[in-house]
Amino acid sequence: MLFRSPCTDAILAEVADPSQILAISHYSKDPRSASMDARLASALPATRGTVEEVLALHPDLVLGSTFIDPASASAYHRLGLRLETFGMAGTVEASQDQIRQIAALSGHPDRGEALISRIDSALAAAAPPAGARPIQTVVWQSGGMVPGDGTLIADLLRRTGFTNFAAARGLGQADLLPLEKMLADAPQLILVAGQTAETGRGDDRVLSHPALKALKSTRRATLDPKLLRSEEHTSEL
């Protein structure tokens, strides 16, 4: 199997035997874009996903993103390689569906169910008390980027006692929330996610601007950018 997506790399590493994984995405070797344990990623081979690299590994199955280049997908089909693609999961349920699919493809559906059980237990432990008022929260990425609704992080916020403050004010996926607007209409909590491989270097000074100290009723905390990995990269299995 070959895999070329940071998110799906992480799932595959949980449900497949190491010997089944011919390669992961080169993105999973980069701490800014990896979703999996760095020590595990370093032990696995990786490709940049060219058709030539994939053919050289002679995989039974290629797992890719729905963002895969159409020319590459067509080449896999012409060459007789099985390609299974996965989109970006926008909800916990959609993510768990992908876990089940990948676990089934790897021949270990029981491992998929075990992983889903761990996720369910973690969500139950993180659920807010009954009747608790949701905390208005901005997830702030490099340069002031915010996630919109219909994303996995928005679903996780809702399930753990928070609301997507930026989305409630009309901002969509990957929109920018300028510092001035943050100061004029502040949330209760800012989760600073910082730089990722997807956002690029950006202007991270925005996220730690001294003017934010004026928001006396707003708390700030760090959110691991790994929790915001997109699946705009493909992987082979």
Side-chain angles (χ1 to χ4, degrees):
M1 293 181 177
L2 269 80
F3 233 70
R4 291 182 305 168
S5 166
C7 298
T8 41
D9 280 347
I11 296 173
L12 187 66
E14 291 275 354
V15 301
D17 293 332
S19 61
Q20 291 181 278
I21 306 173
L22 296 179
I24 58 174
S25 166
H26 70 283
Y27 290 105
S28 289
K29 299 280 190 176
D30 185 343
R32 298 175 305 158
S33 57
S35 295
M36 63 191 300
D37 179 80
R39 288 174 297 180
L40 179 56
S42 67
L44 292 169
T47 76
R48 299 192 69 87
T50 66
V51 174
E52 292 79 10
E53 288 177 296
V54 174
L55 285 176
L57 292 170
H58 305 291
D60 299 314
L61 173 64
V62 178
L63 303 185
S65 163
T66 52
F67 293 97
I68 189 171
D69 174 48
S72 295
S74 177
Y76 292 150
H77 290 305
R78 288 199 313 272
L79 295 167
L81 292 179
R82 181 183 176 187
L83 172 65
E84 296 287 344
T85 59
F86 298 84
M88 289 188 291
T91 64
V92 169
E93 289 85 2
S95 180
Q96 292 179 338
D97 285 345
Q98 290 188 353
I99 291 171
R100 288 191 173 95
Q101 292 173 50
I102 293 169
L105 287 168
S106 70
H108 302 288
D110 56 320
R111 297 178 188 176
E113 294 305 320
L115 177 55
I116 289 169
S117 179
R118 284 165 47 198
I119 293 170
D120 288 338
S121 295
L123 288 172
R133 179 174 296 180
I135 299 171
Q136 298 177 339
T137 303
V138 166
V139 177
W140 224 16
Q141 296 174 258
S142 183
M145 186 181 297
V146 295
D149 272 341
T151 58
L152 183 56
I153 186 62
D155 189 29
L156 290 171
L157 287 174
R158 179 180 58 80
R159 291 169 181 267
T160 52
F162 304 89
T163 59
N164 191 338
F165 186 82
R169 276 145 184 78
L171 294 176
Q173 174 68 357
D175 278 348
L176 298 180
L177 177 59
L179 176 64
E180 295 79 7
K181 286 190 176 181
M182 179 73 82
L183 295 172
D185 184 18
Q188 294 173 273
L189 174 65
I190 300 173
L191 293 177
V192 180
Q195 177 182 326
T196 69
E198 287 79 21
T199 60
R201 293 184 61 186
D203 183 6
D204 285 343
R205 293 173 299 173
V206 170
L207 308 184
S208 58
H209 197 284
L212 292 170
K213 295 179 180 179
L215 302 178
K216 301 300 183 183
S217 60
T218 298
R219 290 177 292 161
R220 274 189 289 167
T222 300
L223 180 70
D224 189 339
K226 288 183 179 180
L227 299 175
L228 297 172
R229 297 295 177 239
S230 72
E231 295 194 5
E232 295 181 3
H233 315 298
T234 48
S235 301
E236 296 111 36
L237 168 104

